[in-house]
Amino acid sequence: MIWAAVLAGSIGCYLLKLAGLSVPPKVLENKAVQRIAAALPVALLSALIVIQTFTTKHALVVDARAAGLAAALIAVLLRAPFLVIVGVAAATAAVIRLLT
Amino acid sequence: MDTETRPETEPETDRRAIIRDAIGIGVATGAYGLSFGAISVASGLSMVQTCALSLLLFSGGSQFALVGVLGAGGTAVAAAGTAVLLGSRNALYGLRLAPLLKVRGIKKAGAAQLVIDESTAMAVGRDSGRAARLGFWATGLSVFVLWNLGTLLGGIGAQALSSPEALGLDAAVPAAFLALLAPRMRARQPWVIALTAALVALAAVPFVPAGVPVLLAAAAATVLVLKGRAK
C-alpha cells in the first residue's frame, strides 16, 4: 500500500518534470494552465495545513497541534528559518501535551 | 540572489560564486531533509520507503504531502494524487529551463530529476547560458546529495524515538506546509484560494475517505481560478 503510493507518486512527479523539459513551450504557455499551476500549490498546502491540524480521522478537533500551528505562524511572521518554524511547532505541541 | 550579474566580473569568479551559492542552498535543504526523514518515519513509512521517496520523487513539498496523507490514513491513490498535483509546478519550471539547458537523451533524463524550486531559481535570470547551466547542475546536484543525506539521518533519528507524538512531530507537518505556503501569500488572489481550499477540505472531512478532502480542495481552486478569468 505504502509502496504503491511511493512509486506512483515518484513516477508521476518524474513524468511532470520530464514533460516540462520536453513539451514545446507553446503548449503550456496557455494562461489558464499557468494560473492553475500557480493556484494548485496554494490550495493543496492550505488544505493540508487545516486537515493535519484540525482533524483526527473524520472528526474536527482542536488539540495541541493547533497551538503548534499558532506558534509556527508567529515564527513565520518573524521570518524565522524553516527548521525553526518546524521546531517551534513541535516543541509547543509537546509541551502542551506534557502539561495536560 | 543575482549578486553576481555585474557585467565586468571574471568568469572564474562567477563560477566560484555560483558553486558557493549552490553548496549553501544544498546545506540549507539538507537541514530541511532532516525534518522530512524524521516526519516520514514518524508517519509510518519504513526507512527504505522514506529514502526511496527522497531519491525517486525528489520534490520536498510533494514528499511532505505524500507522507502526510498516508499518515492520516489516506489511500495510496489520494497520497500519490496529492503529491503529483503539488509537483505540477515542476513542469512549468521545466518549460523555462528547456531553452537554457538544451539537453537531450540520457542527459535530459538526468536533468529532469533535478528540476525543482531551488535549481530553477539558480538557473533563470543569469547573464549567459553557461552560467545558467552551471547554476542548474551545481544546485540540483548539491541539493540532491544533501537532501538525501538529511533524509537518511532524520529517519535514523526518528527511528530511535518511542513515541513521535510526545515530541510533537505530528504538529511539525502542518508547520512545514505553512513555511512552504507563506512566501506564496503576497497578493489577494492566493488568500481567496487558500481560504476556499481550507473551508472545502474541512467541510468534506466527515463525509469522504481520508486524503480526498485535499483533492476536493484542489478541484475547488481550479474551478475558482477558471471562473475568475476576467482579471
Side-chain angles (χ1 to χ4, degrees):
Chain A
M1 223 295 291
I2 292 180
W3 272 116
V6 168
L7 295 178
S10 297
I11 293 169
C13 283
Y14 181 75
L15 290 179
L16 280 171
K17 292 171 174 176
L18 191 62
L21 286 179
S22 309
V23 159
K26 289 261 148 51
V27 178
L28 283 179
E29 264 173 13
N30 183 314
K31 277 270 176 281
V33 172
Q34 287 198 349
R35 226 175 262 149
I36 291 171
L40 274 182
V42 171
L44 289 165
L45 291 170
S46 170
L48 284 163
I49 290 167
V50 296
I51 292 291
Q52 308 221 331
T53 304
F54 298 110
T55 70
T56 300
K57 299 224 164 76
H58 292 286
L60 302 183
V61 293
V62 175
D63 58 20
R65 290 172 295 172
L69 185 67
L73 185 61
I74 293 170
V76 166
L77 292 175
L78 293 175
R79 299 183 185 281
F82 182 86
L83 268 193
V84 173
I85 296 169
V86 172
V88 157
T92 304
V95 166
I96 287 195
R97 284 195 183 120
L98 204 65
L99 296 179
T100 51
Chain B
M1 63 177 299
D2 279 327
T3 48
E4 55 277 330
T5 48
R6 286 155 292 159
E8 294 302 317
T9 43
E10 289 274 302
E12 186 54 28
T13 327
D14 248 14
R15 269 178 61 87
R16 285 169 62 181
I18 290 173
I19 291 173
R20 198 183 52 230
D21 285 356
I23 293 171
I25 291 173
V27 170
T29 319
Y32 176 25
L34 280 175
S35 59
F36 171 73
I39 285 167
S40 176
V41 167
S43 301
L45 278 78
S46 70
M47 263 318 286
V48 181
Q49 288 163 337
T50 298
C51 289
L53 272 180
S54 281
L55 284 167
L56 302 175
L57 202 155
F58 189 53
S59 193
S62 293
Q63 290 179 229
F64 273 110
L66 193 142
V67 302
V69 172
L70 285 179
T75 63
V77 173
T82 307
V84 171
L85 283 178
L86 205 46
S88 60
R89 70 188 186 287
N90 290 331
L92 289 185
Y93 294 160
L95 274 179
R96 296 192 61 189
L97 289 169
L100 297 170
L101 298 180
K102 301 198 178 86
V103 280
R104 259 183 274 160
I106 188 83
K107 217 172 167 193
K108 181 160 92 175
Q113 183 66 337
L114 301 182
V115 174
I116 50 167
D117 302 273
E118 291 84 359
S119 58
T120 306
M122 286 286 287
V124 299
R126 296 279 179 196
D127 293 339
S128 70
R130 266 187 64 197
R133 283 188 288 279
L134 180 65
F136 172 82
W137 287 104
T139 309
L141 290 171
S142 149
V143 169
F144 187 80
V145 169
L146 291 162
W147 170 254
N148 277 287
L149 187 66
T151 300
L152 181 66
L153 296 178
I156 291 170
Q159 261 187 335
L161 305 172
S162 50
S163 162
E165 292 208 349
L167 278 185
L169 277 185
D170 54 338
V173 187
F177 291 135
L178 185 66
L180 293 174
L181 178 64
R184 299 175 184 274
M185 304 303 288
R186 296 203 177 112
R188 191 179 149 274
Q189 168 90 338
W191 281 97
V192 176
I193 291 166
L195 290 175
T196 307
L199 287 176
V200 167
L202 285 181
V205 160
F207 309 108
V208 297
V212 175
V214 174
L215 298 177
L216 289 176
T222 307
V223 172
L224 200 68
V225 167
L226 290 179
K227 283 208 161 182
R229 282 185 104 166
K231 276 218 254 180

